[in-house]
Amino acid sequence: MPARSRVPQHSRAVRQLQIEAAKAHGFGKPRAAALMEALARVLPQAGAVFAAIEEWPCDLASDGVIFRLNAGLHALAMAGESGVLAALYGESAMPPPAALDAALERVLAQRAEALLGWLSHPTQTNEVARVAGLVAALLELGRKDALPCEVLELGASAGLNLNLAHYGVRLGDVTACAAASAVMLAPEWRGRDVPAGPLAITSARGVDLHPLDVSDEEDRRSLQAYVWPGESARAARLDAAIGIALAHPPRVDTGLASAWLLQRFAEPQPAGTRRVVFHSMVLQYASPAEREAIDLAFALAGARAEPDRPLARVSIEWRADRGAVELRIAQWDGAGHRGESRLAALCHPYGEWIDWRGLA
């Protein structure tokens, strides 16, 4: 085992890696934890890559910098760069710490330019397991009035979540959407039961600053690279969702979320339809001004909402202290609901479990 004395005591990059390693252990992800621990040991000797992370101008966690580094390393592993990395990201036996350290030292030094390229681009994960939380929220919203839903997504990436109607979703004892789908989402269900009932999606459309196109091979590889090591089931689910998207191309616009929302909210909303805006793990990447602009867009649209044209906001985001992922629901209907954000569930960051509280 490499000596722990190699780890600088006041490095923000190393500290963030240690935080991510602890999270990975907490979520039962030993391979991801092993990668973070190894990087914490060897990254300070990595020259340009270490400097880029250590001198990052903004918050490392909010910008998902470690996610970006993982994606770069995974992409190199998929390209055959290192047998040790391929073993880590695959299903082979876990590489010994010394072998993993040596492989990372070599890749960080020899492929610094490629890794710096990954660091320069924002994260583009598209975790379809979070759709289970959205479906639960839609069922909850329909508990008293099961209106058909028009779904809008902020930070839609490649738009895989927009195909929710084509996925099978099992929420405890309740099954929704396409039961025979190649993508079956069945998070560990905790807490209260979600209401069963009809769920109709009339349309689904998203926006992203830099959307990915699943018909493009490079964009598909990019999505696959963001999967953490040891998550073969998640990788298989992603591939299945990509297959569905190739058959049912999602509609994702390029643009700023707040401006796009104002445009969508200005469009007529059919009577008897619920307009639902969904976003997951997006706000951490938005500037304070953009978050305020998004809130303002909701406030303006909410003031125009009517009982037969309600508006809802469903968010799956880190709590401010990053201690938990919260699923929150806000509703506007021009009557009893005026946009109060209510905690409906606590969730695993990648949708592996949902602790449902509901709104009743």
Side-chain angles (χ1 to χ4, degrees), residues 109-300:
Q110 296 178 359
R111 300 306 304 274
E113 184 176 355
L115 293 172
L116 290 171
W118 281 91
L119 290 175
S120 68
H121 295 294
T123 57
Q124 278 288 17
T125 58
N126 203 167
E127 181 46 67
V128 296
R130 296 179 189 137
V131 163
L134 171 60
V135 170
L138 296 179
L139 291 171
E140 184 72 29
L141 288 166
R143 180 187 290 272
K144 294 182 180 179
D145 195 1
L147 299 175
C149 296
E150 167 194 306
V151 175
L152 303 171
E153 185 183 14
L154 309 182
S157 187
L160 300 184
N161 292 346
L162 298 173
N163 273 331
L164 70 159
H166 297 287
Y167 302 153
V169 184
R170 188 163 60 249
L171 309 169
D173 295 329
V174 174
T175 299
C177 302
S181 174
V183 173
M184 175 56 69
L185 308 176
E188 178 188 340
W189 196 256
R190 307 173 184 174
R192 302 177 61 182
D193 292 336
V194 71
L199 180 58
I201 308 299
T202 61
S203 65
R205 183 175 178 182
V207 67
D208 198 278
L209 276 175
H210 308 285
L212 299 181
D213 180 358
V214 295
S215 67
D216 182 271
E217 184 178 357
E218 184 174 345
D219 282 357
R220 292 198 300 272
R221 287 199 300 267
S222 179
L223 284 171
Q224 292 162 343
Y226 277 102
V227 176
W228 290 103
E231 298 196 323
S232 56
R234 184 180 169 204
R237 183 172 61 235
L238 173 62
D239 289 344
I242 288 173
I244 290 175
L246 290 171
H248 303 278
R251 183 177 181 182
V252 183
D253 302 320
T254 301
L256 191 65
S258 58
W260 183 84
L261 263 186
L262 289 172
Q263 294 171 350
R264 302 289 76 75
F265 287 158
E267 295 172 351
Q269 180 177 346
T273 298
R274 177 176 284 112
R275 180 170 280 171
V276 180
V277 182
F278 172 62
H279 55 88
S280 61
M281 302 305 197
V282 169
L283 294 186
Q284 69 188 65
Y285 304 117
S287 68
E290 172 65 356
R291 291 196 293 270
E292 290 179 5
I294 290 171
D295 290 342
L296 177 59
F298 275 107
L300 294 173

Side-chain angles (χ1 to χ4, degrees), residues 47-127:
V49 176
F50 174 66
I53 299 176
E54 189 70 11
E55 298 166 11
W56 196 262
C58 302
D59 183 66
L60 294 176
S62 296
D63 283 358
V65 175
I66 305 306
F67 289 84
R68 304 183 194 197
L69 179 57
N70 166 71
L73 292 168
H74 193 178
L76 292 174
M78 290 190 296
E81 180 67 30
S82 166
V84 173
L85 285 186
L88 177 72
Y89 283 96
E91 298 184 357
S92 303
M94 179 90 77
L100 182 55
D101 285 14
L104 288 171
E105 286 179 336
R106 182 171 61 255
V107 169
L108 289 166
Q110 296 178 359
R111 300 306 304 274
E113 184 176 355
L115 293 172
L116 290 171
W118 281 91
L119 290 175
S120 68
H121 295 294
T123 57
Q124 278 288 17
T125 58
N126 203 167
E127 181 46 67

